[in-house]
Amino acid sequence: MPHDPKVLDHEYDGIQEFDNPTPGWWHFLFYLFIVFSFFYTVLAFAGSPYLPTPEDKHQTEKIAAQKKKFETLPDLLPDAMTIASYSKSEPWMDYAASVFAGNCVLCHGAEGGGAVGPNLTDEFGKSIKTIEDIHMVIQNGAAAGAMPAWGQRLHPKDVILLSSYVAKLRGTSPMVGIAPEGEQMEPWPDAPPPVEPEADSGDAGDG
Amino acid sequence: MTAIQSEVGGRTELESFSYDDAIVRKFFWATLIWGIVAFLVGVILAFQLAFPQFNLIPEVAFGRLRPLHTNAAIFAFAGNAIFTAVYYSTQRLCKARMWSDTLSKLHFWGWQLIIVSAAITLPLGITQGKEYAELEWPIDLAIAVVWLGFFGTNFMMTLIKRRERHMYVALWFYIASLVAVTILHVFNNVWIPIGVVEFIKTGEITSASNLMKSYPVYAGVQDAFMQWWYGHNAVAFFLTTPFLGLMYYFLPKAANRPVFSYKLSIIHFWSLVFIYIWAGPHHLHYTALPQWASTLGMVFSLMLWMPSWGGMINGLLTLRGAWHKVAADPVLKFFVVGVTFYGMSTFEGPLLSVKTVNALSHYTDWTIAHVHSGTLGWNSFMTFGMLYWLAPRLFQAKSLYSMKLASMHFWMGTIGILLYVISIYTAGITQGLMWRAFDESGSLMYPSFIETVTKLMPFYWIRAIGGTLFLVSTCIGGYNLIMTWRNRPAKYEVPVHQAPALSKHYDDGPPPQSRLTANAGIGHAGDRFLQGHWHRRWERLPVRFTVWVVIAVSVASVFEIIPTFLIKSNVTTISTVQPYTPLEVAGRDIYIAEGCYNCHSQMIRPIYAETQRYGDYTKPGETVYDRPFQWGSRRIGPDLGREGVTNPNAAWHYGHFIDPPGTVGGSIMPSYEHLAQKDLNYAEIQARVMGLAMLGTPYGEAVKSAEELARAQAVEIAEQIRTGNTGVEIVEPLEDKQIIALIAYMQRLGTDLYAVPEAEGEEIAEGGDQ
């Protein structure tokens, strides 16, 4: 080999070694990462605002996301009229459908027809008589813990919108539905749909 | 060579010796057989994910079979491959027979016995529930004896009694593997055996399962830290360093070329050994592990990139001037692709350790793809290259039975790997992106987890096909090797070699002069250091070399481990977090035995998409009674960290365990109907609670009446199930069944954070507000 560098006088079972230098780019990248790591570690340990902890970052993201999500929604009270009224808000019910899909379908079925949990589409309620009871059951749970308390888990506005969504399920006909349980519920009060704030209502609504 | 002769001043007395190739042949066949077993189990698992009907009986359902696959691939297949390489090359590099034929044999049969006991205990659900460290305490002890007592002693004594003055780089890597694996294995497996505790306290042992059961002395965050310090470095010192040693011997042998750079060998060896150990915490980014550890895990992983690539460069550039041989020789083909996969995985490793990348990749199939490009591409291909090179030599046949079949093995295997990893990379990234996708209204785009599972099915089919191809290609290889073996002579020749013994005294030659001309004392010292004369000296001092390796490995460990245990603020106490009830302990042990942690995590990360999906992120203080921790590493099913908060319905769980797809359409979870059939052994629980109390779990008076407490709780849960809509038939007496304990555990998961403190029972605990 004409271009071969020097072979060292090492020989092990016939294996020899060249006296090649380590490649320059290898050194460069090796030292680059050591330097980077040094500065990164110092910044991270010093609590630099450029390197927030995951917990802080989560908090910031959460606040920003909730602000964006609910910015067009006024403060709500879990009363009968509010729940009934929002069950007629198309954009907010689209939103609540997603909350329902994420948290409720395992027990109540994709369309609320019930499975382990009661059928939400019929005229009967196990722990529910009035429309406010829906909120109470979601918020605090029922049936000795078989229905968990979602107040621990969801945003207060989520719980109210979800109550409206469940109220709206009454009278629909799901593909799968279990037999009614409990007692006949009172009719839901009639309430006009909520007045969407004029500004930005489109943004919130389209979602 | 010249040094040896000059040192003894002409009075060279030659010693005669022969190499023990019989033991190498044994390890050779064990490698092949266990390789086929490991790949076969892998293929079965791949089909179980694509078609859940393949979970035929509980013993070989996914959760119990997956540890068998990983253990077989790592410890049986790769393990025997390592020993094949070590036993063949060490003898030749040392010009000495293995120190003790008896130890060699004890090592071989001991190791195979460990593998067989793993293959029996894991399907029976006897497991510690920690990934790649599943084997229970009696087998742990056996591993320590066989690894260090038989293999370690034999190997080190061979080094000491060698006839070659200097140790070649392959031996350095073997030393590092021996030392580090010992340390990792011992410190990760510190447990108390329940049966032994029971025997000491009561004079009897309730059951075989109590006898085999142990609890780790570490809990929660600390257990997680130790486990991934171990897990990561098992990859480092079981799947990397020994295979680098293998590469350094067999690749230049096969190519018949000198190694590219001795200097690179030195620097990449020491940097690799020192840096690898620190990188373990990158497996726990965004978990309840303290941030400082996570940060160290990330930066050391980045610094590890170039030391890893040093090995790849030395491997590939050794082939410079021999590339024409690669086209013709299947051995070199396997080596080239193997080393290339090594380069890709060791670039990908640091990439995945970057926190923001890890936020996407963690818990997805991306990790699975990464390890398979390492194990299939690097470990298997290096092994196959070695086996093909060894076969004609070990079996003293003229040549390999068929070059054509070897080439076919190579191409089929390569295509199999590519199908496997490309489909699973795609699956991983797809699922990771789906988990974090939000729609315009700010809600999760795919709120139900199952959507993100069914989406992956086509990729799982492709993966199963890729895995099958790889398995078939290995069988073709096996056939080729067996046919080569059939061409062996009636009796193997045992050539006798001669070399002088090493004399006590050795002149290392004059220390180098500084090459610097400027007048700077420290500069001269530095230059002399850089010329590496000191290292050449170490290379002839195996004990000193080993001590330095121990130091390099331990320093890093000590710097990370000690603070993890000492800094109290790492794990803040949460007053409402209480020990598991006796029934929950029993349920937790079933969760571990069934291998639920192979598909479910219990660690919600502080990432908004994740807290939206699962609930408030898991706090370090919530896992203080978790022995072992069960944070998991892959979400084939959803996280269960807040299962008790979001889904405490006993009737739902009962129906779901018996018929998962009937409860959640599209579910690929196997049925756990057997838990509804089999009785729980309540008598076992007392000893287990006693064991936990011994480790510091504050049970107070409850420790005396564990069994009664468990029975009382079971009656309550059974009643909840009877009064609920399970959708399936209930097997009575319900309160006696194992499923009740598991449901008790499910109902408890993640609830303590919201529990009402006993002292202020009136107040309502502050809720989350996701």
Side-chain angles (χ1 to χ4, degrees):
Chain A
M1 290 286 148
H3 302 294
D4 271 359
K6 193 181 135 204
V7 180
L8 292 164
D9 65 346
H10 306 171
E11 204 236 289
Y12 312 90
D13 193 31
I15 301 172
Q16 291 179 294
E17 293 176 301
F18 281 129
D19 190 23
N20 275 319
T22 41
W25 62 269
W26 186 90
H27 275 282
F28 173 74
L29 286 177
F30 188 33
Y31 300 139
L32 182 75
F33 277 106
I34 291 174
V35 172
F36 168 83
S37 297
F38 176 79
F39 285 106
Y40 181 92
T41 310
V42 168
L43 284 181
F45 278 46
S48 158
Y50 296 105
L51 297 172
T53 66
E55 289 79 7
D56 291 345
K57 201 165 153 232
H58 172 257
Q59 192 61 22
T60 321
E61 273 177 38
K62 193 170 97 176
I63 291 168
Q66 284 174 350
K67 194 170 162 233
K68 179 164 171 271
K69 200 154 72 169
F70 295 128
E71 68 184 345
T72 58
L73 193 66
D75 285 340
L76 303 177
L77 286 172
D79 53 41
M81 292 314 276
T82 308
I83 296 171
S85 160
Y86 272 88
S87 73
K88 290 180 181 146
S89 156
E90 205 182 310
W92 285 114
M93 286 306 96
D94 280 352
Y95 166 76
S98 155
V99 180
F100 187 83
N103 300 295
C104 315
V105 297
L106 282 186
C107 291
H108 295 286
E111 296 170 298
V116 171
N119 189 333
L120 304 175
T121 61
D122 59 28
E123 293 300 311
F124 295 83
K126 265 173 94 178
S127 315
I128 291 168
K129 250 188 126 56
T130 67
I131 198 166
E132 296 108 305
D133 292 344
I134 302 177
H135 182 272
M136 197 196 67
V137 165
I138 297 175
Q139 175 75 25
N140 303 321
M147 165 76 184
W150 291 94
Q152 292 177 344
R153 165 83 175 79
L154 299 174
H155 191 278
K157 286 179 176 173
D158 276 334
V159 178
I160 293 170
L161 292 171
L162 195 54
S163 308
S164 303
Y165 183 80
V166 172
K168 187 170 162 261
L169 285 175
R170 182 176 181 179
T172 58
S173 15
M175 303 269 280
V176 192
I178 62 166
E181 294 168 277
E183 289 167 37
Q184 173 80 42
M185 299 185 290
E186 287 174 14
W188 298 160
D190 198 25
V195 185
E196 304 286 345
E198 276 170 28
D200 295 342
S201 64
D203 283 355
D206 290 341
Chain B
M1 298 301 287
T2 47
I4 292 173
Q5 277 139 23
S6 65
E7 75 189 87
V8 288
R11 295 183 293 109
T12 315
E13 272 182 55
L14 291 176
E15 293 179 342
S16 298
F17 55 92
S18 63
Y19 298 134
D20 182 5
D21 282 346
I23 191 73
V24 184
R25 282 187 283 267
K26 285 200 182 75
F27 280 118
F28 179 102
W29 291 121
T31 306
L32 183 66
I33 292 166
W34 292 124
I36 290 174
V37 171
F39 305 153
L40 176 67
V41 177
V43 169
I44 294 173
L45 291 167
F47 276 98
Q48 284 178 334
L49 285 179
F51 307 96
Q53 305 88 302
F54 280 104
N55 292 284
L56 295 173
I57 50 168
E59 284 73 16
V60 294
F62 187 91
R64 294 196 191 183
L65 206 53
R66 193 247 180 185
L68 186 63
H69 166 62
T70 52
N71 279 278
I74 300 170
F75 300 109
F77 169 62
N80 278 302
I82 293 166
F83 301 136
T84 310
V86 170
Y87 276 75
Y88 186 86
S89 60
T90 302
Q91 300 189 74
R92 283 153 176 91
L93 292 171
C94 289
K95 286 202 181 116
R97 191 183 178 87
M98 289 310 291
W99 181 62
S100 157
D101 284 7
T102 313
L103 281 182
S104 301
K105 284 193 197 112
L106 281 172
H107 173 198
F108 176 79
W109 289 110
W111 196 257
Q112 311 315 316
L113 198 68
I114 287 166
I115 296 168
V116 171
S117 58
I120 295 170
T121 54
L122 292 174
L124 290 177
I126 298 170
T127 169
Q128 295 192 71
K130 291 164 57 154
E131 282 180 89
Y132 324 126
E134 280 96 349
L135 302 176
E136 261 297 356
W137 69 275
I139 309 176
D140 280 347
L141 291 179
I143 293 173
V145 170
V146 172
W147 177 267
L148 188 65
F150 300 161
F151 169 54
T153 310
N154 204 9
F155 174 76
M156 286 311 293
M157 287 310 292
T158 310
L159 288 189
I160 288 167
K161 301 280 181 194
R162 75 199 183 285
R163 297 185 185 84
E164 181 75 76
R165 179 64 67 183
H166 292 94
M167 296 184 299
Y168 175 56
V169 52
L171 295 176
W172 314 346
F173 278 106
Y174 297 157
I175 293 174
S177 312
L178 173 68
V179 164
V181 171
T182 308
I183 296 176
L184 295 165
H185 176 71
V186 169
F187 286 96
N188 188 41
N189 288 298
V190 186
W191 27 245
I192 59 160
I194 296 309
V196 175
V197 170
E198 193 180 16
F199 185 77
I200 292 169
K201 295 222 166 176
T202 65
E204 56 183 66
I205 299 173
T206 318
S207 64
S209 86
N210 264 11
L211 176 64
M212 292 299 285
K213 182 77 192 165
S214 69
Y215 289 128
V217 298
Y218 319 116
V221 174
Q222 278 120 7
D223 194 40
F225 176 84
M226 289 305 287
Q227 159 60 21
W228 284 111
W229 168 79
Y230 163 88
H232 173 75
N233 288 303
V235 174
F237 292 95
F238 211 90
L239 298 177
T240 305
T241 54
F243 282 86
L244 284 169
L246 182 161
M247 177 195 85
Y248 272 112
Y249 181 82
F250 290 95
L251 191 144
K253 275 287 202 185
N256 199 19
R257 291 278 300 160
V259 172
F260 168 68
S261 167
Y262 164 66
K263 286 204 181 90
L264 184 58
S265 296
I266 297 177
I267 185 165
H268 105 90
F269 170 79
W270 286 104
S271 50
L272 193 82
V273 167
F274 178 74
I275 294 175
Y276 234 123
I277 286 280
W278 294 79
H282 71 210
H283 289 260
L284 296 168
H285 281 332
Y286 294 96
T287 65
L289 191 78
Q291 266 310 296
W292 63 264
S294 181
T295 298
L296 286 183
M298 169 178 151
V299 296
F300 275 91
S301 305
L302 293 175
M303 287 189 276
L304 188 58
W305 180 21
M306 281 303 119
S308 302
W309 270 25
M312 175 187 72
I313 296 167
N314 241 353
L316 289 181
L317 292 189
T318 296
L319 295 169
R320 226 160 42 173
W323 284 103
H324 57 284
K325 291 186 197 164
V326 175
D329 184 359
V331 171
L332 289 179
K333 275 191 201 144
F334 275 112
F335 284 159
V336 167
V337 172
V339 174
T340 308
F341 267 106
Y342 175 64
M344 294 197 312
S345 322
T346 52
F347 163 71
E348 193 188 8
L351 176 72
L352 289 175
S353 76
V354 173
K355 288 180 194 175
T356 41
V357 179
N358 197 271
L360 174 67
S361 73
H362 194 47
Y363 296 132
T364 75
D365 276 321
W366 190 344
T367 316
I368 317 296
H370 170 60
V371 296
H372 280 86
S373 84
T375 46
L376 298 179
W378 159 244
N379 297 114
S380 304
F381 268 32
M382 294 308 286
T383 301
F384 295 144
M386 173 186 74
L387 295 183
Y388 279 120
W389 186 84
L390 278 176
R393 290 165 176 84
L394 280 179
F395 306 129
Q396 297 173 6
K398 277 201 192 73
S399 65
L400 205 57
Y401 168 71
S402 163
M403 293 299 250
K404 226 178 181 171
L405 281 181
S407 194
M408 195 171 150
H409 174 189
F410 168 79
W411 286 110
M412 206 176 191
T414 307
I415 294 168
I417 298 176
L418 290 178
L419 281 180
Y420 185 112
V421 297
I422 293 172
S423 60
I424 289 304
Y425 277 121
T426 318
I429 293 169
T430 304
Q431 197 175 31
L433 291 175
M434 286 176 89
W435 287 342
R436 58 159 64 172
F438 284 96
D439 64 17
E440 282 158 22
S441 75
S443 358
L444 289 170
M445 187 101 85
Y446 306 97
S448 86
F449 187 88
I450 192 68
E451 280 181 90
T452 73
V453 176
T454 46
K455 185 92 179 172
L456 306 184
M457 286 302 124
F459 304 120
Y460 282 178
W461 299 332
I462 300 173
R463 182 246 295 264
I465 294 168
T468 308
L469 271 182
F470 191 85
L471 172 66
V472 172
S473 75
T474 309
C475 294
I476 294 173
Y479 173 76
N480 201 359
L481 295 171
I482 290 171
M483 296 309 282
T484 310
W485 168 74
R486 289 184 58 173
N487 285 332
R488 71 195 182 283
K491 196 168 184 302
Y492 289 118
E493 255 180 69
V494 183
V496 176
H497 305 272
Q498 291 192 313
L502 295 186
S503 60
K504 282 253 183 288
H505 303 287
Y506 179 76
D507 181 8
D508 286 305
Q513 296 298 311
S514 168
R515 296 161 299 187
L516 303 182
T517 46
N519 180 17
I522 192 158
H524 291 305
D527 187 64
R528 279 197 295 274
F529 176 82
L530 285 179
Q531 291 181 55
H533 189 257
W534 54 276
H535 195 273
R536 191 67 185 150
R537 188 158 169 268
W538 284 9
E539 289 166 28
R540 63 175 184 81
L541 302 168
V543 176
R544 177 175 305 198
F545 196 97
T546 307
V547 169
W548 277 107
V549 172
V550 172
I551 292 171
V553 173
S554 312
V555 164
S557 305
V558 164
F559 269 94
E560 283 187 350
I561 292 174
I562 291 184
T564 307
F565 284 85
L566 290 190
I567 304 178
K568 219 163 173 275
S569 63
N570 279 342
V571 182
T572 37
T573 309
I574 303 171
S575 63
T576 52
V577 172
Q578 296 294 319
Y580 293 105
T581 67
L583 187 66
E584 288 158 7
V585 167
R588 196 165 197 277
D589 287 345
I590 293 171
Y591 183 94
I592 292 165
E594 294 297 340
C596 303
Y597 64 90
N598 288 293
C599 294
H600 295 280
S601 57
Q602 290 182 18
M603 176 47 64
I604 302 164
R605 299 174 295 174
I607 294 171
Y608 181 62
E610 202 143 297
T611 55
Q612 272 296 92
R613 183 180 297 279
Y614 299 116
D616 203 359
Y617 59 86
T618 310
K619 313 289 186 289
E622 287 185 86
T623 63
V624 290
Y625 300 122
D626 287 9
R627 286 194 162 90
F629 84 109
Q630 289 288 289
W631 297 0
S633 64
R634 168 79 181 96
R635 285 178 185 152
I636 294 173
D639 187 279
L640 301 177
R642 298 262 173 249
E643 190 66 6
V645 179
T646 57
N647 195 5
N649 193 306
W652 185 88
H653 281 291
Y654 190 85
H656 180 251
F657 279 129
I658 289 172
D659 182 14
T663 314
V664 180
S667 169
I668 57 171
M669 177 165 143
S671 163
Y672 285 91
E673 198 177 354
H674 64 282
L675 298 177
Q677 308 279 352
K678 282 188 222 142
D679 283 347
L680 181 67
N681 187 349
Y682 277 94
E684 280 175 358
I685 300 176
Q686 186 64 54
R688 298 189 177 203
V689 171
M690 239 156 47
L692 290 172
M694 255 183 78
L695 289 169
T697 310
Y699 274 109
E701 287 301 298
V703 73
K704 290 178 190 151
S705 49
E707 190 179 334
E708 295 83 77
L709 288 169
R711 284 188 186 277
Q713 192 182 357
V715 169
E716 271 176 43
I717 293 172
E719 202 43 40
Q720 289 171 22
I721 294 169
R722 286 193 200 99
T723 53
N725 299 327
T726 59
V728 293
E729 212 168 302
I730 292 172
V731 186
E732 294 287 354
L734 192 49
E735 56 274 9
D736 288 350
K737 304 298 179 197
Q738 296 186 358
I739 199 168
I740 297 294
L742 187 54
I743 292 173
Y745 180 54
M746 291 293 114
Q747 290 184 321
R748 178 65 183 276
L749 284 173
T751 54
D752 282 14
L753 195 62
Y754 307 106
V756 184
E758 266 172 44
E760 356 167 18
E762 302 280 296
E763 279 177 44
I764 292 170
E766 219 179 293
D769 54 351
Q770 273 77 42

